[in-house]
Amino acid sequence: MTKSYNGKILHIDLTEETVRIEEPNDVFYRTYLGGRNIVGYYLLKDLPDGVEPLSPDNMLVFATSVLTGLPVCGVSRNSIGAKSPVTGGWADSEVGGYWGAEFKAAGYDAMVVRGRAKKPVYIWIKDGAVEIKSAEALWGMKTAETEEALRKELGDSKIRVSQIGPGGENLIQYSCIIQDLHFAAGRNGLGAVMGSKNLKAVAVRGTKKPEGADPEAVKIIAKKAATGWKTNREKLGLHGTSMTSTVLQNGGQLPTRNFQQGLFEGAEKISGPTMTDTILTGTEGCYACSIRCKRVVEAESHGRKADPIYGGPEYETLAVFGSNLGCDDLSAIAAMNSLCNAYGVDTISAGMSISFLTECYQKGFIDTTKTDGLELKFGDADLALTLLEKIVRREGVGDVLARGVQAALEYVGPAAKDIAIHVKGQYVPMHDPRGKNGIALAYAMSPGGADHLQSSHDGNLAAPGKVLDEFNPIGIYEPIQILSLGMDKVRYYFRSHLWIGLLNVLDFCWYVASPPSVLTPDDVQALLRGATGWNINMWEMLKASERGHQMARIFNCRNGVGPEKDVLPERFFTPITAGPLQGKHVDRKEFEEAKSMYYEMMGWDRKTGMPSLGRIVDLGLEWAVPGR
Ligand code: SF4
């Protein structure tokens, strides 16, 4: 029977310059399925507790799933994980594009990288053959230059490259790993981990594409995905994720000026339709996806260019460099997006560190002696570009901001504590929990710090009808109250985050299989069955997802990231001052009660944060908790 996975995991030690292939059995694949679970398995099994994230002892795990690379819209992604320099705990990031499918076609399901090379290197994988090659000539290059140089050196224009830019080389705390020039494994500082290993890139080329155990069954789901998006996700293809800015603006919850407001007077100028009508030059998609939600733009502002080779801004980038900085210059936002992709730097963290410093200046916590002489203000695109350039090049005050939340707070002083809007050292993304309360739980409980991709957002299942009905199989039967943090919301969050967690385990695109979905939970089950030949059911799928959540939790507890870090930034407990949500805030008592109930449901100890022995044994994770 043809399987949808290779049965091979690559282990590379850059210190020892060795390559080893492990061949796990089928039970391993059925238990873990892929993605973040494979990341968790190796981090918990092989990484000693207390390791410094940027030391050679940290590990960097690239993982695909049993679905990756099938000719189906949405299963193109891969996961990358390590111990995070941002939080000191768990890091995993899922990234789209083409690299994951190509890596799988090259003969492996995952790759675990250990150690540190003496000099810069890159890894070259072609149809099973693996080489560690010198990257000294590539070190210092921006991402597009590196990709071009590698294509030339390897004599193949079809290679796919996962790489760091100068951001990762220079250990910017929130640098990311860039694939295909504009797909980022952002957040969590994975680029810095890769840079600390002197690993510039992983180039892959493969010709053995998976078909699955039952290609006809796979084809049925592929056909549905290729056409079904026109019903539920048409606007996503038309305007990309940037269409979200209009929805949030209309709801009075578009993060504006460091979350001080929820309405931005320039929202129209930076909206998805405006981008479509002005600077958009094309669209792109991930492997096998017909939605093509990725933007390609060309623009110039204040002498800085947005190069189409680096794609175009997603919603998060649009908001963080736009409304969040009070900036309505779409071309400048696009140029900032380009700069981040060229240097391999997380746009959310970079934008939030600029808005933090700007609010500090606005409130008088710092003066020009602490800003390289710049008079900081919101709404100045040239100034925002200048500050971002300082960050990516680690110059002046940009060097402070490049070291993350803690360094920025130490620089400004304790008065700014409530202005640094982060969880576990991770700056928050562009969603305000005061306008969708479930996000408060997502931010506080996410193992990697504030993360908006932990559960479905409250509004997605707020109305009765077909979309809600399709999600009945995961235990959601009634419309969700958006502004509630009662027990009904905890139950919704719990079930929804099991579903979304499964998508992270399967490296499945959120837009294809989360509500309003193109593929339903039943379709995902049918695809898994067709791909693997297993008689897998929803119970097993959701168990696999919980396994991932609990592994991340155990990893954090073993590494000192405990319950005291499950908090929400102070700003979200204070009322929004204008617009449709005026006066709304997260109720502190409700939040604490919701958190307690979530702990109960996950079986977590209130003091240590550790899952109970019952949960651990149920999920077969005894091996991950030494001494239990
Ligand atoms: S919907 Fe967008 S992100 Fe998802 S697979 Fe398609 S192109 Fe990629």
Side-chain angles (χ1 to χ4, degrees):
M1 186 173 71
T2 315
K3 291 174 190 163
S4 58
Y5 50 97
N6 295 300
K8 286 187 180 158
I9 291 177
L10 198 54
H11 292 265
I12 296 183
D13 190 319
L14 294 175
T15 306
E16 303 295 328
E17 297 176 20
T18 56
V19 175
R20 174 171 66 85
I21 296 167
E22 180 190 2
E23 298 189 15
N25 62 23
D26 289 342
V27 172
F28 171 86
Y29 285 95
R30 188 153 176 171
T31 305
Y32 295 100
L33 297 180
R36 78 166 348 190
N37 277 5
I38 290 185
V39 167
Y41 175 79
Y42 286 105
L43 291 185
L44 281 171
K45 187 167 79 66
D46 293 344
L47 189 64
D49 298 344
V51 157
E52 265 297 308
L54 298 184
S55 78
D57 295 333
N58 199 358
M59 292 157 55
L60 187 62
V61 185
F62 296 76
T64 63
S65 85
V66 295
L67 297 182
T68 307
L70 288 169
V72 183
C73 173
V75 294
S76 52
R77 298 168 79 77
N78 63 105
S79 296
I80 309 177
K83 185 172 187 181
S84 168
V86 174
T87 66
W90 171 266
D92 78 304
S93 188
E94 283 70 43
V95 53
Y98 292 77
W99 189 89
E102 195 74 31
F103 173 80
K104 185 103 170 260
Y108 299 100
D109 303 307
M111 174 173 68
V112 184
V113 182
R114 298 172 170 85
R116 174 184 291 157
K118 287 180 200 74
K119 292 182 175 169
V121 294
Y122 73 93
I123 296 169
W124 168 226
I125 304 169
K126 185 178 183 189
D127 282 327
V130 183
E131 285 180 76
I132 303 171
K133 295 170 78 86
S134 172
E136 284 182 85
L138 306 174
W139 206 251
M141 282 185 183
K142 293 180 200 136
T143 52
E145 295 161 353
T146 302
E147 187 168 288
E148 197 187 333
L150 279 173
R151 289 197 163 151
K152 213 165 165 192
E153 179 172 321
L154 297 169
D156 188 342
S157 63
K158 291 186 174 160
I159 60 165
R160 297 289 174 184
V161 180
S162 184
Q163 58 162 314
I164 54 168
E169 293 173 14
N170 296 323
L171 308 181
I172 289 179
Q173 193 204 52
Y174 42 79
S175 51
C176 43
I177 296 174
I178 300 278
Q179 299 185 345
D180 302 318
L181 298 185
H182 51 92
F183 297 89
R187 324 298 341 259
N188 295 317
L190 293 165
V193 175
M194 191 156 157
S196 74
K197 298 192 168 305
N198 273 331
L199 178 59
K200 178 70 174 169
V202 183
V204 294
R205 182 85 170 91
T207 52
K208 197 182 138 225
K209 292 182 178 164
E211 286 182 351
D214 182 349
E216 283 311 309
V218 170
K219 235 181 249 174
I220 290 170
I221 303 299
K223 200 169 166 198
K224 182 176 178 196
T227 53
W229 65 274
K230 286 191 176 150
T231 315
N232 284 340
R233 295 287 195 187
E234 191 171 9
K235 281 193 185 148
L236 185 66
L238 206 56
H239 302 306
T241 57
S242 55
M243 66 181 187
T244 309
S245 67
T246 308
V247 176
L248 296 184
Q249 167 75 1
N250 291 342
Q253 52 180 301
L254 182 63
T256 301
R257 299 178 187 87
N258 205 34
F259 284 87
Q260 293 184 88
Q261 296 103 27
L263 283 175
F264 179 47
E265 62 285 357
E268 185 68 32
K269 289 188 186 166
I270 63 166
S271 70
T274 301
M275 196 192 311
T276 307
D277 291 344
T278 55
I279 60 174
L280 193 80
T281 58
T283 62
E284 262 198 34
C286 303
Y287 176 80
C289 183
S290 38
I291 299 176
R292 296 178 68 84
C293 77
K294 303 292 171 189
R295 309 289 90 184
V296 180
V297 302
E298 192 164 6
E300 186 171 344
S301 177
H302 297 87
R304 280 82 144 204
K305 287 190 172 150
D307 187 337
I309 204 163
Y310 292 121
E314 301 267 350
Y315 163 68
E316 298 295 326
T317 304
L318 197 70
V320 83
F321 291 140
S323 54
N324 179 59
L325 296 182
C327 169
D328 64 7
D329 182 339
L330 187 56
S331 296
I333 297 167
M336 288 188 259
N337 179 66
S338 244
L339 191 62
C340 284
N341 285 347
Y343 277 77
V345 170
D346 178 49
T347 58
I348 298 172
S349 308
M352 283 296 290
S353 60
I354 294 172
S355 64
F356 162 73
L357 199 74
T358 306
E359 190 181 342
C360 288
Y361 185 88
Q362 188 187 50
K363 293 224 163 24
F365 297 149
I366 50 170
D367 59 23
T368 50
T369 60
K370 291 230 163 189
T371 64
D372 299 343
L374 297 168
E375 290 181 19
L376 304 191
K377 58 177 180 288
F378 288 109
D380 186 331
D382 190 26
L383 187 65
L385 278 155
T386 302
L387 282 166
L388 183 62
E389 284 160 352
K390 281 176 176 285
I391 291 173
V392 301
R393 294 176 190 146
R394 297 198 70 151
E395 292 168 359
V397 70
D399 181 55
V400 176
L401 298 181
R403 283 186 269 129
V405 172
Q406 205 46 46
L409 270 172
E410 280 164 20
Y411 184 72
V412 173
K417 185 170 71 62
D418 294 342
I419 293 175
I421 304 172
H422 71 99
V423 179
K424 300 182 175 80
Q426 180 85 270
Y427 281 115
V428 302
M430 295 294 102
H431 302 270
D432 193 326
R434 291 170 291 189
K436 34 185 172 178
N437 293 162
I439 292 295
L441 278 177
Y443 282 175
M445 310 315 298
S446 160
D451 183 352
H452 59 297
L453 296 174
Q454 283 294 304
S455 73
S456 183
H457 293 203
D458 310 51
N460 290 335
L461 291 173
K466 184 172 168 288
V467 173
L468 179 64
D469 294 348
E470 285 171 350
F471 278 79
N472 290 168
I474 62 166
I476 299 173
Y477 310 115
E478 288 176 314
I480 304 308
Q481 301 297 315
I482 296 175
L483 295 182
S484 147
L485 252 184
M487 292 305 121
D488 54 337
K489 185 57 66 66
V490 187
R491 186 164 48 241
Y492 165 71
Y493 174 72
F494 181 81
R495 291 179 183 174
S496 156
H497 100 306
L498 281 183
W499 180 252
I500 298 298
L502 177 72
L503 300 186
N504 289 340
V505 168
L506 293 173
D507 290 313
F508 218 124
C509 173
W510 164 288
Y511 301 113
V512 179
S514 76
S517 63
V518 177
L519 296 178
T520 66
D522 286 342
D523 293 329
V524 174
Q525 176 180 289
L527 180 60
L528 257 176
R529 287 182 171 202
T532 60
W534 306 327
N535 59 344
I536 193 164
N537 63 19
M538 200 60 70
W539 184 87
E540 273 183 281
M541 289 155 62
L542 297 181
K543 281 282 171 199
S545 169
E546 188 192 343
R547 197 168 285 122
H549 288 301
Q550 301 285 22
M551 283 198 289
R553 184 69 182 187
I554 294 168
F555 184 84
N556 272 351
C557 290
R558 276 177 35 180
N559 284 281
V561 182
E564 70 288 350
K565 301 274 178 76
D566 296 337
V567 295
L568 194 65
E570 202 51 36
R571 178 142 292 165
F572 300 133
F573 294 115
T574 58
I576 289 188
T577 52
L581 289 177
Q582 187 170 8
K584 298 286 184 224
H585 60 100
V586 176
D587 182 273
R588 200 182 297 273
K589 185 166 167 283
E590 261 190 2
F591 171 71
E592 289 302 329
E593 285 170 0
K595 205 168 86 174
S596 283
M597 182 47 65
Y598 178 75
Y599 266 61
E600 290 271 333
M601 292 167 92
M602 291 297 280
W604 291 352
D605 185 275
R606 285 296 304 166
K607 279 203 185 105
T608 66
M610 265 289 185
S612 69
L613 189 56
R615 300 304 323 119
I616 289 167
V617 171
D618 178 40
L619 297 165
L621 294 174
E622 303 92 292
W623 57 269
V625 191
R628 283 203 94 138

